[in-house]
């Protein structure tokens, strides 16, 4: 079987939600440890996210530069967004985000990788898709607002992004995981070895 993450749930004796926000909340669970002691664990409850590494015919990745207030940075990122509707199909959400943020559509979709962003303090799960065969979306552009109204769009060669990651110049987790994963795929078994776009995702079950 090799190395594989496995589901497990330790006993929770009490739980409270001291904060509920617009999209996420904070929960405190009293968890029974293996020695029988009970300790509190605080974590953010998150609906989950999708991200899209969109690769064009010239080997360039579509990236966006957006202000992120918690870290006080403008970060280069790949298109991404929340799974706003419980049980939402992640592929449909990813296609929507690519359209809304970049006005682009793709014909070929694969699952690149699935990650927990910060499992020590948040239950957010992200599915990162690889999208290829890109073209301009039809119709009017989606009207963006707030931080997204200040976004910049660029297409950057994959190897340039990898150098930026390893140099410590690029920090967005979906971009980092996405470009390094794709580099490994291209150097290994190839894109056809990736899971199909509708592959099961136990972390965020969905209807096909």
């Amino acid at each position: 079987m090799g190395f594989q993450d496995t589901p497990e749930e330790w006993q929770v004796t009490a739980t409270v939600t001291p904060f509920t926000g617009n999209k996420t909340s904070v929960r405190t669970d009293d968890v029974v440890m293996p020695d029988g002691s009970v300790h509190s664990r605080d974590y953010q409850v998150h609906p989950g996210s999708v991200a899209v590494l969109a690769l064009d015919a010239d080997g360039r990745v579509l990236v966006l530069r957006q202000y992120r207030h918690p870290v006080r940075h403008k970060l280069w990122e790949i298109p991404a967004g929340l799974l706003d509707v419980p049980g939402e199909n992640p592929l449909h959400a990813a296609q929507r985000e690519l359209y809304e943020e970049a006005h682009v559509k793709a014909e070929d979709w694969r699952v690149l990788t699935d990650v927990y962003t910060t499992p020590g303090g948040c239950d957010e799960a992200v599915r990162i898709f690889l999208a290829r065969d890109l073209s301009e979306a039809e119709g009017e552009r989606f009207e963006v607002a707030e931080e997204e109204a200040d976004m910049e769009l660029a297409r950057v060669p994959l190897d340039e992004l990898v150098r930026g990651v390893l140099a410590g110049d690029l920090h967005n987790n979906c971009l980092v995981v996405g470009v390094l994963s794709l580099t490994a795929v291209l150097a290994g078994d190839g894109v056809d070895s990736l899971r199909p776009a509708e592959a099961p995702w136990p972390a965020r079950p969905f209807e096909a």
Side-chain angles (χ1 to χ4, degrees), residues 10 16 18 50 59 62 66 70 81 92 98 108 113 121 123 137 142 152 157 162 172 175 188 203 207:
W10 292 0
V16 295
V50 292
L62 192 155
Q66 184 173 347
H92 299 165
L98 185 61
D108 185 81
T113 189
D123 71 352
F142 181 79
E152 303 170 48
V162 172
N172 175 264
L175 183 147
E207 294 184 7

Side-chain angles (χ1 to χ4, degrees), residues 94-114:
Q95 292 169 332
R96 180 188 68 235
E97 292 299 332
L98 185 61
Y99 163 73
E100 290 181 356
E101 295 191 348
H103 201 66
V104 165
K105 63 180 180 179
E107 298 302 322
D108 185 81
W109 290 83
R110 316 285 176 101
V111 174
L112 185 55
T113 189
D114 298 325

Side-chain angles (χ1 to χ4, degrees), residues 135-149:
S135 61
E136 193 79 3
E138 300 172 355
E140 295 184 3
R141 286 184 172 271
F142 181 79
E143 186 175 345
V144 295
E146 300 172 2
E147 289 92 342
E148 292 183 350

